[in-house]
């Protein structure tokens, strides 16, 4: 399953996410991996820097992949990334942390 959350990897609160008011985890079940799409990340963020920030926020060991497609000509990312969390509860905790809920 894929869901969308907008973390603040640059140290902000991330609480300005209007779309997350409608984010509903009730249909998400199971305990297996789940992929989250993070939008509006800083264009200079790398996969490594995103992973380092996730680890610093206490998520080390809760995900197994970070992917941020890039623009090779500009040496930047495209403003979004995917994180594959190992459990749904890790994504819920990530969402609560980023959005103060």
């Amino acid at each position: 399953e894929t869901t969308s959350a907008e973390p603040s990897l640059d140290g902000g609160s991330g609480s300005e996410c209007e779309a997350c008011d409608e984010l509903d985890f009730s249909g998400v079940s199971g305990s297996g991996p789940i992929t989250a799409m993070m939008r509006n990340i800083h264009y200079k963020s790398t996969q490594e820097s995103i992973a380092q920030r996730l680890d610093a926020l206490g998520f080390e060991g809760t995900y197994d992949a970070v992917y941020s497609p890039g623009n090779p000509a500009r040496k930047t990312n495209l403003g979004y990334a995917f994180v594959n969390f190992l459990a749904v509860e890790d994504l819920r905790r990530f969402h609560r942390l980023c959005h103060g809920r």
Side-chain angles (χ1 to χ4, degrees):
E1 296 183 45
T2 301
T3 190
S4 179
E6 293 184 34
S8 181
L9 293 173
D10 59 3
S13 69
S15 60
E16 67 282 349
C17 176
E18 294 174 15
C20 289
D21 291 335
E22 299 175 15
L23 192 57
D24 181 9
F25 286 103
S26 63
V28 179
S29 62
S31 59
I34 185 167
T35 301
M37 178 183 186
M38 301 186 308
R39 299 180 299 174
N40 301 323
I41 63 172
H42 191 274
Y43 72 99
K44 290 285 187 177
S45 295
T46 63
Q47 290 174 177
E48 181 179 310
S49 68
I50 294 167
Q52 288 172 348
R53 182 70 175 144
L54 288 169
D55 292 350
L57 290 170
F59 290 93
E60 185 173 6
T62 65
Y63 61 94
D64 62 359
V66 174
Y67 173 66
S68 179
N71 179 339
R74 294 182 182 227
K75 297 183 181 176
T76 62
N77 69 53
L78 298 178
Y80 60 93
F82 298 94
V83 177
N84 194 56
F85 286 98
L86 299 176
V88 173
E89 188 51 41
D90 295 326
L91 174 59
R92 287 186 178 120
R93 186 170 62 93
F94 178 73
H95 182 264
R96 284 192 304 267
L97 176 73
C98 292
H99 299 288
R101 299 179 191 160

